[in-house]
Amino acid sequence: MTGKLFVIGTGPGNPDQLTPEALAAVAASTEFFGYFPYIDRLNLRPGQIKVASDNREELNRAQAALMRAAEGVNVCVVSGGDPGVFAMAAAVCEAIDAGPEEWKSVDLTVVPGVTAMLAVAARIGAPLGHDFCAISLSDNLKPWDIIEKRLRLVSEAGLVIALYNPISKARPWQLGRAFEILRETLPATTPVIFGRAAGRPDERMLVMPLGEAEAERADMATCVVIGSPETRIIARPGLADLVYTPRFLKDASK
Amino acid sequence: MTGKLFVIGTGPGNPDQLTPEALAAVAASTEFFGYFPYIDRLNLRPGQIKVASDNREELNRAQAALMRAAEGVNVCVVSGGDPGVFAMAAAVCEAIDAGPEEWKSVDLTVVPGVTAMLAVAARIGAPLGHDFCAISLSDNLKPWDIIEKRLRLVSEAGLVIALYNPISKARPWQLGRAFEILRETLPATTPVIFGRAAGRPDERMLVMPLGEAEAERADMATCVVIGSPETRIIARPGLADLVYTPRFLKDASK
C-alpha cells in the first residue's frame, strides 16, 4: 500500500483563509515538499520534515514527493493559493503521467483552496462578478505569441482578466506589453486592480485606469485584475473605492 | 455608526472547505440573508436570525441586508461557493451603487471562499492547471448571443472553460447548444467534466469526450469543465481517471 499524497494550497497567506480540510492534510502528513516561503506558512510539529526547494523546480519536486509516497510515506505537496491554479496539482499529474506505473496507484488527494484572484476580488468589491478568465503571463512555459493571442481574444470577448505571474526579474516587460495589447480593445477608463498580498499584513491594493496602468506597480506577489467594459467603481466617502462587475449585461444591439 | 455587512460563501458544501475567516463572520453576525439551502449549511446559535429568500431575488436580498446594516445590525449575506463568483458580492455592490448615499458608508467585508470550479478540479486532478475562464450560461442576465460569442472566442483562445449555471428547468437547451458551439473549434476527444456537488455526500464526477457530451448529465448543482486541446486523461488501475491540463504549452509553429 502506498502512502497518501496530499496536494494543498496555503491560500493567499492569511492563515484564516486556510480550510480545515487543508489543515487536516497537514496533520496527516510527515514530509512536506514545496517552495520554502509556502512551507513556512504552516505550523509543523516536531518530527514533520520540510523538503524545501526552489520556485522553478515544480516537476522535480512532484517526482520526489511521488517517490516518497510510493514508498509508503504520507506526504504533502504545498502550493500558495489553490494548488490547482498555475500550481503544484498539475505538476504532480504531469509526473504521474510520465512516471513509473506504480505512481498511478499513489493515493492522491488534491485539496482546493482560495486562489489569489478571489482574495484580491474580495478585498476590492466584486470585480469577478461576471464572466472572467485567469491567464498566466509567464512565458517560461508557453510561447509569448500565444499569450498575446489569448489576451486579444479574451478582451474581445469582454471577460474580466486576472493575470497571474505578471512580472519578475527575469520577465520585466511582459506586463507592460499586455497592457498595450489590452488598450487596443478596452476603454482607457477600464479599471485595473493591482492586488498585492491580499489578506496579508503587507497587502497593498491599488486601482488605476487602464490608460494609465504602469507595469512597475506590480511585483511577484501581485495578481493584476483588468476589468471588462462593464466594470464600475463606487467612490465611498472616507472608505476605499469599491470595484465591481455587474451580474447583468445589457444587449447592446437593442 | 453602521453595523458590519459580511458577504460570505459557504464553499461547495463540504463544511471542511469553509474558512475560519468565514466562520468568524458568521459568529459576528446576528441576521443572515441568503438563499435557503445555503443558509441552512451554517450552524447558527439561538438568537441568530435567518432571513431566507428565493434564488432569483439577489438584488432585493442585498438591499434588505444593506438596510439592516445601515440601521446598525451586523448582517451576513450568504452565497454558495465564493461570494465573488456569480454570486452575492456583485449584487451587494450593485445595491450600494444604486442605493441611498448612506449605504456607501456601510462597513462591508467580502470573505473569499472556495468556488465550485476549484472544488471540481481538485476532485478530478488539475484541469485548471493552465489558462482558464469561468462563464455563466444563464441568459437571464445577459443576451444569449453574447454567451455564444464568448464561447467561440475562449475556445479559439485555447482556454479551459468552466461553465457555471449550466442548466435549469427554465434554461433546458443552453448547455447542449454550448457543446455544439465548442465542437466547432475543439477536438471531439476534449475531456468534459460534469462535476456535481463536489465534496458533498451526493458528489458525482463524470468525464466524457466532448464529441459525446450530453447536456442531460448536468443539473443545477453541476459545474461543467471543458478541457483545452492540451488537457489529458490518466487512466489509473483501480482508481478514477485523473484529468489535468499541463502547465506548459509547446510552440506549435516550431
PDB file of all heavy atoms in Angstrom, chain A residues 16-17 21 84 94 97 131-132 134 136 141-142 150 157 232 244 247 249, chain B residues 16-17 21 94 97 131-132 134 136 141-142 150 157 232 244 247 249:
ATOM      1  N   ASP A  16      -6.270  32.591   8.309  1.00  0.00           N
ATOM      2  CA  ASP A  16      -7.722  32.425   8.448  1.00  0.00           C
ATOM      3  C   ASP A  16      -8.399  32.053   7.130  1.00  0.00           C
ATOM      4  O   ASP A  16      -9.606  31.828   7.087  1.00  0.00           O
ATOM      5  CB  ASP A  16      -8.364  33.702   9.000  1.00  0.00           C
ATOM      6  CG  ASP A  16      -8.062  33.879  10.468  1.00  0.00           C
ATOM      7  OD1 ASP A  16      -7.720  32.889  11.130  1.00  0.00           O
ATOM      8  OD2 ASP A  16      -8.153  35.026  10.953  1.00  0.00           O
ATOM      9  N   GLN A  17      -7.623  32.037   6.046  1.00  0.00           N
ATOM     10  CA  GLN A  17      -8.181  31.650   4.748  1.00  0.00           C
ATOM     11  C   GLN A  17      -7.742  30.235   4.346  1.00  0.00           C
ATOM     12  O   GLN A  17      -7.913  29.823   3.209  1.00  0.00           O
ATOM     13  CB  GLN A  17      -7.800  32.681   3.678  1.00  0.00           C
ATOM     14  CG  GLN A  17      -8.490  34.017   3.915  1.00  0.00           C
ATOM     15  CD  GLN A  17      -8.054  35.119   2.974  1.00  0.00           C
ATOM     16  OE1 GLN A  17      -7.084  34.997   2.246  1.00  0.00           O
ATOM     17  NE2 GLN A  17      -8.778  36.229   3.000  1.00  0.00           N
ATOM     18  N   GLU A  21      -9.970  21.386   5.869  1.00  0.00           N
ATOM     19  CA  GLU A  21      -9.547  20.242   5.060  1.00  0.00           C
ATOM     20  C   GLU A  21      -8.039  20.283   4.793  1.00  0.00           C
ATOM     21  O   GLU A  21      -7.355  19.248   4.863  1.00  0.00           O
ATOM     22  CB  GLU A  21     -10.316  20.253   3.728  1.00  0.00           C
ATOM     23  CG  GLU A  21     -10.114  19.012   2.892  1.00  0.00           C
ATOM     24  CD  GLU A  21     -10.835  19.091   1.542  1.00  0.00           C
ATOM     25  OE1 GLU A  21     -11.082  20.214   1.045  1.00  0.00           O
ATOM     26  OE2 GLU A  21     -11.126  18.026   0.980  1.00  0.00           O
ATOM     27  N   GLY A  84      -4.546  23.958  -7.635  1.00  0.00           N
ATOM     28  CA  GLY A  84      -4.945  23.614  -8.992  1.00  0.00           C
ATOM     29  C   GLY A  84      -4.792  24.749  -9.989  1.00  0.00           C
ATOM     30  O   GLY A  84      -5.017  24.552 -11.179  1.00  0.00           O
ATOM     31  N   GLU A  94       1.426  15.717 -14.115  1.00  0.00           N
ATOM     32  CA  GLU A  94       2.430  15.521 -15.175  1.00  0.00           C
ATOM     33  C   GLU A  94       3.428  14.442 -14.769  1.00  0.00           C
ATOM     34  O   GLU A  94       3.790  13.581 -15.582  1.00  0.00           O
ATOM     35  CB  GLU A  94       3.203  16.821 -15.434  1.00  0.00           C
ATOM     36  CG  GLU A  94       2.419  17.887 -16.165  1.00  0.00           C
ATOM     37  CD  GLU A  94       3.062  19.267 -16.015  1.00  0.00           C
ATOM     38  OE1 GLU A  94       4.292  19.357 -15.868  1.00  0.00           O
ATOM     39  OE2 GLU A  94       2.311  20.261 -16.024  1.00  0.00           O
ATOM     40  N   ASP A  97       1.804  11.072 -14.993  1.00  0.00           N
ATOM     41  CA  ASP A  97       1.571  10.715 -16.399  1.00  0.00           C
ATOM     42  C   ASP A  97       2.847  10.167 -17.040  1.00  0.00           C
ATOM     43  O   ASP A  97       2.806   9.191 -17.805  1.00  0.00           O
ATOM     44  CB  ASP A  97       1.095  11.970 -17.142  1.00  0.00           C
ATOM     45  CG  ASP A  97       0.290  11.648 -18.391  1.00  0.00           C
ATOM     46  OD1 ASP A  97       0.047  10.460 -18.661  1.00  0.00           O
ATOM     47  OD2 ASP A  97      -0.099  12.602 -19.101  1.00  0.00           O
ATOM     48  N   ASP A 131     -18.512  37.005 -16.092  1.00  0.00           N
ATOM     49  CA  ASP A 131     -17.563  36.113 -16.768  1.00  0.00           C
ATOM     50  C   ASP A 131     -16.124  36.640 -16.669  1.00  0.00           C
ATOM     51  O   ASP A 131     -15.871  37.823 -16.874  1.00  0.00           O
ATOM     52  CB  ASP A 131     -17.941  35.970 -18.248  1.00  0.00           C
ATOM     53  CG  ASP A 131     -19.361  35.407 -18.419  1.00  0.00           C
ATOM     54  OD1 ASP A 131     -19.871  34.749 -17.490  1.00  0.00           O
ATOM     55  OD2 ASP A 131     -19.952  35.649 -19.486  1.00  0.00           O
ATOM     56  N   PHE A 132     -15.201  35.728 -16.409  1.00  0.00           N
ATOM     57  CA  PHE A 132     -13.804  36.152 -16.237  1.00  0.00           C
ATOM     58  C   PHE A 132     -12.858  35.026 -16.641  1.00  0.00           C
ATOM     59  O   PHE A 132     -13.275  33.888 -16.839  1.00  0.00           O
ATOM     60  CB  PHE A 132     -13.535  36.580 -14.785  1.00  0.00           C
ATOM     61  CG  PHE A 132     -13.680  35.473 -13.773  1.00  0.00           C
ATOM     62  CD1 PHE A 132     -12.585  34.706 -13.383  1.00  0.00           C
ATOM     63  CD2 PHE A 132     -14.919  35.199 -13.205  1.00  0.00           C
ATOM     64  CE1 PHE A 132     -12.724  33.685 -12.438  1.00  0.00           C
ATOM     65  CE2 PHE A 132     -15.065  34.175 -12.270  1.00  0.00           C
ATOM     66  CZ  PHE A 132     -13.971  33.425 -11.882  1.00  0.00           C
ATOM     67  N   ALA A 134      -8.515  33.566 -16.138  1.00  0.00           N
ATOM     68  CA  ALA A 134      -7.237  33.635 -15.435  1.00  0.00           C
ATOM     69  C   ALA A 134      -6.152  33.209 -16.413  1.00  0.00           C
ATOM     70  O   ALA A 134      -6.215  32.118 -16.982  1.00  0.00           O
ATOM     71  CB  ALA A 134      -7.242  32.700 -14.223  1.00  0.00           C
ATOM     72  N   SER A 136      -1.867  33.147 -17.061  1.00  0.00           N
ATOM     73  CA  SER A 136      -0.520  33.345 -16.542  1.00  0.00           C
ATOM     74  C   SER A 136       0.313  34.079 -17.582  1.00  0.00           C
ATOM     75  O   SER A 136       0.330  33.707 -18.750  1.00  0.00           O
ATOM     76  CB  SER A 136       0.132  32.004 -16.218  1.00  0.00           C
ATOM     77  OG  SER A 136       1.517  32.196 -15.956  1.00  0.00           O
ATOM     78  N   LEU A 141       6.728  28.802 -19.773  1.00  0.00           N
ATOM     79  CA  LEU A 141       6.076  27.531 -20.065  1.00  0.00           C
ATOM     80  C   LEU A 141       5.214  27.561 -21.316  1.00  0.00           C
ATOM     81  O   LEU A 141       4.663  26.544 -21.728  1.00  0.00           O
ATOM     82  CB  LEU A 141       5.234  27.088 -18.864  1.00  0.00           C
ATOM     83  CG  LEU A 141       6.026  26.812 -17.568  1.00  0.00           C
ATOM     84  CD1 LEU A 141       5.103  26.700 -16.379  1.00  0.00           C
ATOM     85  CD2 LEU A 141       6.859  25.543 -17.696  1.00  0.00           C
ATOM     86  N   LYS A 142       5.042  28.735 -21.906  1.00  0.00           N
ATOM     87  CA  LYS A 142       4.333  28.800 -23.187  1.00  0.00           C
ATOM     88  C   LYS A 142       4.888  29.976 -23.981  1.00  0.00           C
ATOM     89  O   LYS A 142       5.408  30.927 -23.407  1.00  0.00           O
ATOM     90  CB  LYS A 142       2.823  28.917 -22.990  1.00  0.00           C
ATOM     91  CG  LYS A 142       2.367  30.221 -22.372  1.00  0.00           C
ATOM     92  CD  LYS A 142       0.893  30.228 -22.023  1.00  0.00           C
ATOM     93  CE  LYS A 142       0.652  31.303 -20.981  1.00  0.00           C
ATOM     94  NZ  LYS A 142      -0.564  31.210 -20.229  1.00  0.00           N
ATOM     95  N   ARG A 150      -4.177  35.146 -26.746  1.00  0.00           N
ATOM     96  CA  ARG A 150      -5.206  34.946 -25.719  1.00  0.00           C
ATOM     97  C   ARG A 150      -5.705  36.270 -25.149  1.00  0.00           C
ATOM     98  O   ARG A 150      -6.914  36.457 -24.936  1.00  0.00           O
ATOM     99  CB  ARG A 150      -4.652  34.033 -24.607  1.00  0.00           C
ATOM    100  CG  ARG A 150      -4.488  32.613 -25.106  1.00  0.00           C
ATOM    101  CD  ARG A 150      -4.001  31.637 -24.062  1.00  0.00           C
ATOM    102  NE  ARG A 150      -4.053  30.303 -24.667  1.00  0.00           N
ATOM    103  CZ  ARG A 150      -3.679  29.174 -24.079  1.00  0.00           C
ATOM    104  NH1 ARG A 150      -3.204  29.201 -22.846  1.00  0.00           N
ATOM    105  NH2 ARG A 150      -3.776  28.027 -24.706  1.00  0.00           N
ATOM    106  N   ALA A 157     -13.777  39.241 -26.087  1.00  0.00           N
ATOM    107  CA  ALA A 157     -14.931  38.527 -25.513  1.00  0.00           C
ATOM    108  C   ALA A 157     -15.579  39.299 -24.372  1.00  0.00           C
ATOM    109  O   ALA A 157     -16.684  38.958 -23.946  1.00  0.00           O
ATOM    110  CB  ALA A 157     -14.490  37.145 -25.032  1.00  0.00           C
ATOM    111  N   ARG A 232     -17.361  48.673 -12.865  1.00  0.00           N
ATOM    112  CA  ARG A 232     -17.651  50.010 -12.335  1.00  0.00           C
ATOM    113  C   ARG A 232     -16.903  50.263 -11.023  1.00  0.00           C
ATOM    114  O   ARG A 232     -16.548  49.338 -10.310  1.00  0.00           O
ATOM    115  CB  ARG A 232     -19.154  50.148 -12.067  1.00  0.00           C
ATOM    116  CG  ARG A 232     -20.005  50.113 -13.334  1.00  0.00           C
ATOM    117  CD  ARG A 232     -21.486  50.110 -13.006  1.00  0.00           C
ATOM    118  NE  ARG A 232     -21.882  51.236 -12.178  1.00  0.00           N
ATOM    119  CZ  ARG A 232     -22.221  52.430 -12.651  1.00  0.00           C
ATOM    120  NH1 ARG A 232     -22.235  52.653 -13.948  1.00  0.00           N
ATOM    121  NH2 ARG A 232     -22.556  53.411 -11.824  1.00  0.00           N
ATOM    122  N   TYR A 244     -16.526  46.709  -9.015  1.00  0.00           N
ATOM    123  CA  TYR A 244     -17.338  45.511  -9.223  1.00  0.00           C
ATOM    124  C   TYR A 244     -17.789  45.409 -10.672  1.00  0.00           C
ATOM    125  O   TYR A 244     -17.835  46.404 -11.399  1.00  0.00           O
ATOM    126  CB  TYR A 244     -18.561  45.508  -8.293  1.00  0.00           C
ATOM    127  CG  TYR A 244     -19.706  46.386  -8.740  1.00  0.00           C
ATOM    128  CD1 TYR A 244     -20.822  45.832  -9.377  1.00  0.00           C
ATOM    129  CD2 TYR A 244     -19.670  47.751  -8.545  1.00  0.00           C
ATOM    130  CE1 TYR A 244     -21.871  46.621  -9.797  1.00  0.00           C
ATOM    131  CE2 TYR A 244     -20.716  48.552  -8.961  1.00  0.00           C
ATOM    132  CZ  TYR A 244     -21.813  47.991  -9.588  1.00  0.00           C
ATOM    133  OH  TYR A 244     -22.843  48.787 -10.014  1.00  0.00           O
ATOM    134  N   ARG A 247     -23.738  41.803 -12.449  1.00  0.00           N
ATOM    135  CA  ARG A 247     -24.107  40.448 -12.849  1.00  0.00           C
ATOM    136  C   ARG A 247     -24.814  40.434 -14.201  1.00  0.00           C
ATOM    137  O   ARG A 247     -24.879  39.421 -14.866  1.00  0.00           O
ATOM    138  CB  ARG A 247     -25.042  39.833 -11.802  1.00  0.00           C
ATOM    139  CG  ARG A 247     -24.434  39.689 -10.423  1.00  0.00           C
ATOM    140  CD  ARG A 247     -25.527  39.511  -9.395  1.00  0.00           C
ATOM    141  NE  ARG A 247     -26.472  40.612  -9.502  1.00  0.00           N
ATOM    142  CZ  ARG A 247     -27.779  40.515  -9.419  1.00  0.00           C
ATOM    143  NH1 ARG A 247     -28.334  39.352  -9.186  1.00  0.00           N
ATOM    144  NH2 ARG A 247     -28.546  41.585  -9.558  1.00  0.00           N
ATOM    145  N   LEU A 249     -25.786  42.067 -18.119  1.00  0.00           N
ATOM    146  CA  LEU A 249     -25.158  42.703 -19.263  1.00  0.00           C
ATOM    147  C   LEU A 249     -26.284  43.021 -20.239  1.00  0.00           C
ATOM    148  O   LEU A 249     -27.029  42.129 -20.651  1.00  0.00           O
ATOM    149  CB  LEU A 249     -24.162  41.723 -19.888  1.00  0.00           C
ATOM    150  CG  LEU A 249     -23.350  42.197 -21.082  1.00  0.00           C
ATOM    151  CD1 LEU A 249     -22.452  43.361 -20.690  1.00  0.00           C
ATOM    152  CD2 LEU A 249     -22.492  41.061 -21.602  1.00  0.00           C
TER     153      LEU A 249
ATOM    154  N   ASP B  16     -15.742  21.249   5.766  1.00  0.00           N
ATOM    155  CA  ASP B  16     -14.288  21.349   5.934  1.00  0.00           C
ATOM    156  C   ASP B  16     -13.643  22.260   4.895  1.00  0.00           C
ATOM    157  O   ASP B  16     -12.437  22.484   4.935  1.00  0.00           O
ATOM    158  CB  ASP B  16     -13.642  19.956   5.840  1.00  0.00           C
ATOM    159  CG  ASP B  16     -13.903  19.137   7.082  1.00  0.00           C
ATOM    160  OD1 ASP B  16     -14.209  19.738   8.136  1.00  0.00           O
ATOM    161  OD2 ASP B  16     -13.813  17.903   7.006  1.00  0.00           O
ATOM    162  N   GLN B  17     -14.447  22.742   3.954  1.00  0.00           N
ATOM    163  CA  GLN B  17     -13.921  23.689   2.954  1.00  0.00           C
ATOM    164  C   GLN B  17     -14.360  25.120   3.251  1.00  0.00           C
ATOM    165  O   GLN B  17     -14.224  26.005   2.408  1.00  0.00           O
ATOM    166  CB  GLN B  17     -14.335  23.251   1.551  1.00  0.00           C
ATOM    167  CG  GLN B  17     -13.637  21.941   1.144  1.00  0.00           C
ATOM    168  CD  GLN B  17     -14.101  21.391  -0.177  1.00  0.00           C
ATOM    169  OE1 GLN B  17     -15.091  21.845  -0.740  1.00  0.00           O
ATOM    170  NE2 GLN B  17     -13.402  20.382  -0.685  1.00  0.00           N
ATOM    171  N   GLU B  21     -12.038  32.378   8.494  1.00  0.00           N
ATOM    172  CA  GLU B  21     -12.475  33.760   8.292  1.00  0.00           C
ATOM    173  C   GLU B  21     -13.993  33.823   8.072  1.00  0.00           C
ATOM    174  O   GLU B  21     -14.668  34.714   8.605  1.00  0.00           O
ATOM    175  CB  GLU B  21     -11.743  34.348   7.080  1.00  0.00           C
ATOM    176  CG  GLU B  21     -11.974  35.830   6.883  1.00  0.00           C
ATOM    177  CD  GLU B  21     -11.282  36.374   5.633  1.00  0.00           C
ATOM    178  OE1 GLU B  21     -11.027  35.598   4.685  1.00  0.00           O
ATOM    179  OE2 GLU B  21     -11.014  37.589   5.603  1.00  0.00           O
ATOM    180  N   GLU B  94     -23.924  46.297  -6.531  1.00  0.00           N
ATOM    181  CA  GLU B  94     -24.958  46.950  -7.363  1.00  0.00           C
ATOM    182  C   GLU B  94     -25.937  47.729  -6.491  1.00  0.00           C
ATOM    183  O   GLU B  94     -26.328  48.856  -6.823  1.00  0.00           O
ATOM    184  CB  GLU B  94     -25.740  45.896  -8.150  1.00  0.00           C
ATOM    185  CG  GLU B  94     -24.981  45.271  -9.300  1.00  0.00           C
ATOM    186  CD  GLU B  94     -25.623  43.961  -9.778  1.00  0.00           C
ATOM    187  OE1 GLU B  94     -26.855  43.809  -9.648  1.00  0.00           O
ATOM    188  OE2 GLU B  94     -24.886  43.089 -10.256  1.00  0.00           O
ATOM    189  N   ASP B  97     -24.294  50.852  -5.231  1.00  0.00           N
ATOM    190  CA  ASP B  97     -24.095  51.797  -6.332  1.00  0.00           C
ATOM    191  C   ASP B  97     -25.376  52.571  -6.624  1.00  0.00           C
ATOM    192  O   ASP B  97     -25.350  53.779  -6.873  1.00  0.00           O
ATOM    193  CB  ASP B  97     -23.650  51.003  -7.577  1.00  0.00           C
ATOM    194  CG  ASP B  97     -22.858  51.849  -8.569  1.00  0.00           C
ATOM    195  OD1 ASP B  97     -22.593  53.029  -8.282  1.00  0.00           O
ATOM    196  OD2 ASP B  97     -22.515  51.308  -9.640  1.00  0.00           O
ATOM    197  N   ASP B 131      -4.186  28.250 -18.365  1.00  0.00           N
ATOM    198  CA  ASP B 131      -5.138  29.350 -18.536  1.00  0.00           C
ATOM    199  C   ASP B 131      -6.577  28.838 -18.647  1.00  0.00           C
ATOM    200  O   ASP B 131      -6.842  27.867 -19.352  1.00  0.00           O
ATOM    201  CB  ASP B 131      -4.788  30.139 -19.805  1.00  0.00           C
ATOM    202  CG  ASP B 131      -3.384  30.739 -19.746  1.00  0.00           C
ATOM    203  OD1 ASP B 131      -2.845  30.911 -18.643  1.00  0.00           O
ATOM    204  OD2 ASP B 131      -2.841  31.012 -20.833  1.00  0.00           O
ATOM    205  N   PHE B 132      -7.492  29.519 -17.986  1.00  0.00           N
ATOM    206  CA  PHE B 132      -8.892  29.068 -17.979  1.00  0.00           C
ATOM    207  C   PHE B 132      -9.835  30.246 -17.811  1.00  0.00           C
ATOM    208  O   PHE B 132      -9.418  31.362 -17.496  1.00  0.00           O
ATOM    209  CB  PHE B 132      -9.126  28.036 -16.858  1.00  0.00           C
ATOM    210  CG  PHE B 132      -8.937  28.570 -15.467  1.00  0.00           C
ATOM    211  CD1 PHE B 132     -10.015  29.066 -14.742  1.00  0.00           C
ATOM    212  CD2 PHE B 132      -7.680  28.583 -14.885  1.00  0.00           C
ATOM    213  CE1 PHE B 132      -9.842  29.567 -13.450  1.00  0.00           C
ATOM    214  CE2 PHE B 132      -7.500  29.074 -13.593  1.00  0.00           C
ATOM    215  CZ  PHE B 132      -8.578  29.555 -12.886  1.00  0.00           C
ATOM    216  N   ALA B 134     -14.155  31.297 -16.582  1.00  0.00           N
ATOM    217  CA  ALA B 134     -15.419  30.920 -15.944  1.00  0.00           C
ATOM    218  C   ALA B 134     -16.519  31.727 -16.612  1.00  0.00           C
ATOM    219  O   ALA B 134     -16.467  32.958 -16.640  1.00  0.00           O
ATOM    220  CB  ALA B 134     -15.373  31.228 -14.451  1.00  0.00           C
ATOM    221  N   SER B 136     -20.819  32.053 -17.052  1.00  0.00           N
ATOM    222  CA  SER B 136     -22.156  31.637 -16.633  1.00  0.00           C
ATOM    223  C   SER B 136     -23.012  31.435 -17.872  1.00  0.00           C
ATOM    224  O   SER B 136     -23.066  32.299 -18.753  1.00  0.00           O
ATOM    225  CB  SER B 136     -22.780  32.690 -15.731  1.00  0.00           C
ATOM    226  OG  SER B 136     -24.160  32.399 -15.556  1.00  0.00           O
ATOM    227  N   LEU B 141     -29.451  37.106 -17.325  1.00  0.00           N
ATOM    228  CA  LEU B 141     -28.801  38.384 -17.037  1.00  0.00           C
ATOM    229  C   LEU B 141     -27.964  38.913 -18.191  1.00  0.00           C
ATOM    230  O   LEU B 141     -27.418  40.001 -18.122  1.00  0.00           O
ATOM    231  CB  LEU B 141     -27.932  38.250 -15.783  1.00  0.00           C
ATOM    232  CG  LEU B 141     -28.693  37.925 -14.487  1.00  0.00           C
ATOM    233  CD1 LEU B 141     -27.753  37.504 -13.384  1.00  0.00           C
ATOM    234  CD2 LEU B 141     -29.532  39.108 -14.032  1.00  0.00           C
ATOM    235  N   LYS B 142     -27.843  38.124 -19.245  1.00  0.00           N
ATOM    236  CA  LYS B 142     -27.158  38.646 -20.440  1.00  0.00           C
ATOM    237  C   LYS B 142     -27.735  37.950 -21.657  1.00  0.00           C
ATOM    238  O   LYS B 142     -28.246  36.830 -21.551  1.00  0.00           O
ATOM    239  CB  LYS B 142     -25.639  38.456 -20.349  1.00  0.00           C
ATOM    240  CG  LYS B 142     -25.183  37.021 -20.408  1.00  0.00           C
ATOM    241  CD  LYS B 142     -23.696  36.857 -20.116  1.00  0.00           C
ATOM    242  CE  LYS B 142     -23.428  35.438 -19.667  1.00  0.00           C
ATOM    243  NZ  LYS B 142     -22.189  35.208 -18.975  1.00  0.00           N
ATOM    244  N   ARG B 150     -18.785  34.594 -26.674  1.00  0.00           N
ATOM    245  CA  ARG B 150     -17.726  34.328 -25.692  1.00  0.00           C
ATOM    246  C   ARG B 150     -17.216  32.897 -25.792  1.00  0.00           C
ATOM    247  O   ARG B 150     -16.007  32.650 -25.716  1.00  0.00           O
ATOM    248  CB  ARG B 150     -18.241  34.637 -24.282  1.00  0.00           C
ATOM    249  CG  ARG B 150     -18.416  36.127 -24.098  1.00  0.00           C
ATOM    250  CD  ARG B 150     -18.848  36.540 -22.708  1.00  0.00           C
ATOM    251  NE  ARG B 150     -18.810  37.999 -22.657  1.00  0.00           N
ATOM    252  CZ  ARG B 150     -19.153  38.736 -21.614  1.00  0.00           C
ATOM    253  NH1 ARG B 150     -19.573  38.148 -20.505  1.00  0.00           N
ATOM    254  NH2 ARG B 150     -19.073  40.050 -21.667  1.00  0.00           N
ATOM    255  N   ALA B 157      -9.190  30.695 -28.176  1.00  0.00           N
ATOM    256  CA  ALA B 157      -8.026  31.089 -27.376  1.00  0.00           C
ATOM    257  C   ALA B 157      -7.347  29.892 -26.716  1.00  0.00           C
ATOM    258  O   ALA B 157      -6.231  30.008 -26.210  1.00  0.00           O
ATOM    259  CB  ALA B 157      -8.439  32.104 -26.307  1.00  0.00           C
ATOM    260  N   ARG B 232      -5.313  16.381 -20.669  1.00  0.00           N
ATOM    261  CA  ARG B 232      -5.005  14.956 -20.791  1.00  0.00           C
ATOM    262  C   ARG B 232      -5.722  14.129 -19.727  1.00  0.00           C
ATOM    263  O   ARG B 232      -6.068  14.634 -18.664  1.00  0.00           O
ATOM    264  CB  ARG B 232      -3.500  14.729 -20.642  1.00  0.00           C
ATOM    265  CG  ARG B 232      -2.686  15.328 -21.777  1.00  0.00           C
ATOM    266  CD  ARG B 232      -1.184  15.198 -21.506  1.00  0.00           C
ATOM    267  NE  ARG B 232      -0.785  13.816 -21.286  1.00  0.00           N
ATOM    268  CZ  ARG B 232      -0.461  12.949 -22.247  1.00  0.00           C
ATOM    269  NH1 ARG B 232      -0.460  13.342 -23.507  1.00  0.00           N
ATOM    270  NH2 ARG B 232      -0.129  11.709 -21.960  1.00  0.00           N
ATOM    271  N   TYR B 244      -6.033  16.401 -16.308  1.00  0.00           N
ATOM    272  CA  TYR B 244      -5.218  17.590 -15.983  1.00  0.00           C
ATOM    273  C   TYR B 244      -4.817  18.324 -17.250  1.00  0.00           C
ATOM    274  O   TYR B 244      -4.799  17.766 -18.345  1.00  0.00           O
ATOM    275  CB  TYR B 244      -3.972  17.174 -15.183  1.00  0.00           C
ATOM    276  CG  TYR B 244      -2.845  16.602 -16.002  1.00  0.00           C
ATOM    277  CD1 TYR B 244      -1.758  17.391 -16.373  1.00  0.00           C
ATOM    278  CD2 TYR B 244      -2.869  15.275 -16.425  1.00  0.00           C
ATOM    279  CE1 TYR B 244      -0.723  16.872 -17.140  1.00  0.00           C
ATOM    280  CE2 TYR B 244      -1.847  14.753 -17.190  1.00  0.00           C
ATOM    281  CZ  TYR B 244      -0.775  15.558 -17.540  1.00  0.00           C
ATOM    282  OH  TYR B 244       0.245  15.036 -18.308  1.00  0.00           O
ATOM    283  N   ARG B 247       1.105  22.377 -17.381  1.00  0.00           N
ATOM    284  CA  ARG B 247       1.483  23.779 -17.138  1.00  0.00           C
ATOM    285  C   ARG B 247       2.157  24.397 -18.356  1.00  0.00           C
ATOM    286  O   ARG B 247       2.205  25.607 -18.498  1.00  0.00           O
ATOM    287  CB  ARG B 247       2.456  23.856 -15.952  1.00  0.00           C
ATOM    288  CG  ARG B 247       1.871  23.377 -14.644  1.00  0.00           C
ATOM    289  CD  ARG B 247       2.993  23.077 -13.686  1.00  0.00           C
ATOM    290  NE  ARG B 247       3.933  22.151 -14.304  1.00  0.00           N
ATOM    291  CZ  ARG B 247       5.244  22.211 -14.201  1.00  0.00           C
ATOM    292  NH1 ARG B 247       5.803  23.148 -13.477  1.00  0.00           N
ATOM    293  NH2 ARG B 247       6.013  21.337 -14.813  1.00  0.00           N
ATOM    294  N   LEU B 249       3.021  24.697 -22.610  1.00  0.00           N
ATOM    295  CA  LEU B 249       2.359  24.634 -23.910  1.00  0.00           C
ATOM    296  C   LEU B 249       3.451  24.799 -24.943  1.00  0.00           C
ATOM    297  O   LEU B 249       4.185  25.780 -24.938  1.00  0.00           O
ATOM    298  CB  LEU B 249       1.346  25.780 -24.003  1.00  0.00           C
ATOM    299  CG  LEU B 249       0.502  25.865 -25.260  1.00  0.00           C
ATOM    300  CD1 LEU B 249      -0.399  24.658 -25.395  1.00  0.00           C
ATOM    301  CD2 LEU B 249      -0.354  27.126 -25.191  1.00  0.00           C
TER     302      LEU B 249
END
